[in-house]
Amino acid sequence: QRAYVQPGVKWGELHDKAIELGLGTTGGTVSGVGVSGYTLGGGTGYLARLHGLAIDNVQSMEVVTATGEIVSANENVNPDLFWGLRGGSGNLGIVTQFKFKLHTTPKYIYAGQVLYSFEYAVKALSTYREVMAKAPRGFTCYACAMHVPPIQDFPEKLHGKSAICFVFAHIGNQKLGEKAAMPLREIAPTLMDTSGPHEYMAVQQAFDAGCPDGQRWYSKSQYLDNLPDEALGKFIEGTESFPGAFSLAYLEPLGGAIGDVSSDVTVMPHRKARYSFNIMAGWTDASEDSEVMDWARSFHETMEPFSNGGVYVNLLSEDESDRIPSAYGANFEKLRELKKKWDPENVFRRTYNVCPD
């Protein structure tokens, strides 16, 4: 129950190989996401509440250092490098092999997408908050506000309409998954409801069509310790109308196994956050750049009063270098000391760079 992953592998490939053996590990929810960059930043996904972040499932790494050496990094060999790579986002070396722990994972799971007209946003998100407060660890649900994208997964008559969408999956007993999801399916008349037994790989590919290659993207992110009514109100206000045919904002539930790990065990410290609030602005025409990005920045600022100050490093934008310390919190200075040791000349600087000085 181990996977050895070398450069260039994407999550769709790894999920596909593993599930054929009835195995899985926390990985990306879009097939085209690369294993390496995703994992080095932390790694959330459908299995995270059950089995921890991707970095919690890495047992060892093979690394090319700034001096060109090839070294191992694990709990016993170069443990400081191993610590810094798990969440340090490529600042300390190039990983040329990961060894992942795999977990027994069913090939069919209870999952689905439930779509509501935006007029039910208040009731939908309030219900979502209640459901996730008591959901089993195997149950993960993303609450999305979006314009229904122009893709065949959605009825053509809905394309472009504002909607609230729940995308959920339960890893485990299907009856328990159906029970956990039921309140999310009974809020109001649905525009679409695909809930039921699904192949694991089909669920892992659910976001693929909405994330086509060659798209223009701009992301903003922050962690929330709570989700009060005022925060839900601002979330709804910020997404009632917004630009970008593929834009969406979503809440990702954390907790479970993610919070079982102490904040200093890996570089990623935000273990007690309840949700990650994320904006993924997506559009096709360069003439829309300013409009879409200005909306994302403004919406992000509106939600900042509810943030705990942290941010998921994998969702930082290129213009957010000032927020890099916020991604690492109390672990930032320790990471910088490791940077001085393993990369004092800042060779690895084309990522979310932690400068050695």
Side-chain angles (χ1 to χ4, degrees):
Q1 294 189 322
R2 302 290 182 268
Y4 294 85
V5 182
Q6 295 180 331
V9 176
K10 297 180 180 181
W11 274 110
E13 300 171 81
L14 179 52
H15 288 318
D16 189 45
K17 294 286 187 183
I19 200 63
E20 283 303 310
L21 302 172
L23 300 170
T25 195
T26 303
T29 54
V30 176
S31 297
V33 171
V35 171
S36 297
Y38 163 98
T39 301
L40 292 175
T44 62
Y46 290 118
L47 275 70
R49 284 170 39 81
L50 186 61
H51 297 307
L53 300 173
I55 52 175
D56 301 329
N57 291 280
V58 174
Q59 296 183 318
S60 67
M61 305 183 200
E62 178 188 85
V63 189
V64 178
T65 70
T67 58
E69 294 179 89
I70 300 176
V71 303
S72 295
N74 53 51
E75 293 286 3
N76 300 310
V77 180
N78 296 313
D80 61 337
L81 179 60
F82 187 54
W83 181 88
L85 289 168
R86 288 178 295 161
S89 191
N91 272 287
L92 303 179
I94 298 172
V95 178
T96 49
Q97 181 169 272
F98 294 87
K99 178 184 177 183
F100 282 99
K101 179 181 180 180
L102 301 178
H103 308 269
T104 300
T105 304
K107 293 185 180 182
Y108 283 84
I109 58 177
Y110 192 85
Q113 297 186 48
V114 184
L115 201 67
Y116 290 103
S117 172
F118 200 84
E119 65 185 288
Y120 301 112
V122 173
K123 185 177 181 182
L125 292 175
S126 297
T127 302
Y128 170 75
R129 180 177 58 189
E130 295 171 6
V131 167
M132 290 313 307
K134 57 186 179 183
R137 289 188 170 205
F139 186 83
T140 292
C141 179
Y142 298 89
C144 310
M146 65 181 189
H147 299 310
V148 179
I151 58 178
Q152 63 180 9
D153 293 18
F154 298 99
E156 187 174 353
K157 64 181 181 180
L158 300 179
H159 291 179
K161 293 185 179 297
S162 295
I164 296 292
C165 183
F166 297 128
V167 183
F168 72 87
H170 182 258
I171 312 301
N173 182 279
Q174 291 193 27
K175 291 294 184 182
L176 290 178
E178 183 177 14
K179 181 179 178 181
M182 191 58 68
L184 299 173
R185 304 175 57 202
E186 300 177 330
I187 294 166
T190 61
L191 298 175
M192 186 179 82
D193 184 355
T194 66
S195 303
H198 290 273
E199 286 191 67
Y200 177 84
M201 278 305 299
V203 176
Q204 285 289 354
Q205 296 166 352
F207 287 108
D208 285 7
C211 300
D213 290 343
Q215 193 66 279
R216 306 179 78 81
W217 294 105
Y218 182 71
S219 62
K220 302 287 282 188
S221 177
Q222 53 191 269
Y223 285 114
L224 311 177
D225 287 336
N226 296 291
L227 201 56
D229 288 345
E230 187 178 359
L232 290 182
K234 293 297 183 182
F235 181 89
I236 294 167
E237 182 181 317
T239 55
E240 188 168 5
S241 178
F242 54 92
F246 290 86
S247 294
L248 77 158
Y250 66 96
L251 297 165
E252 178 179 23
L254 305 174
I258 299 170
D260 291 344
V261 179
S262 176
S263 63
D264 60 355
V265 169
T266 66
V267 181
M268 194 285 195
H270 306 292
R271 299 287 185 162
K272 300 304 180 184
R274 298 286 298 279
Y275 295 93
S276 180
F277 160 67
N278 309 308
I279 302 168
M280 292 297 293
W283 67 106
T284 57
D285 191 334
S287 66
E288 299 178 79
D289 287 4
S290 295
E291 180 187 10
V292 178
M293 294 168 73
D294 285 349
W295 162 74
R297 294 187 186 108
S298 176
F299 185 25
H300 179 264
E301 290 177 7
T302 299
M303 293 293 289
E304 277 188 327
F306 313 105
S307 169
N308 66 10
V311 59
Y312 180 34
V313 67
N314 278 355
L315 288 180
L316 283 174
S317 290
E318 291 182 2
D319 59 358
E320 293 189 296
S321 59
D322 60 313
R323 298 186 72 203
I324 291 174
S326 299
Y328 301 118
N331 293 330
F332 178 70
E333 289 303 327
K334 182 178 178 180
L335 178 60
R336 188 156 65 174
E337 289 300 314
L338 284 177
K339 181 74 171 178
K340 292 178 184 179
K341 174 183 176 180
W342 288 96
D343 185 15
E345 301 300 321
N346 204 18
V347 173
F348 304 119
R349 60 185 181 273
R350 296 303 295 267
T351 177
Y352 302 108
N353 189 225
V354 175
C355 294
D357 55 358

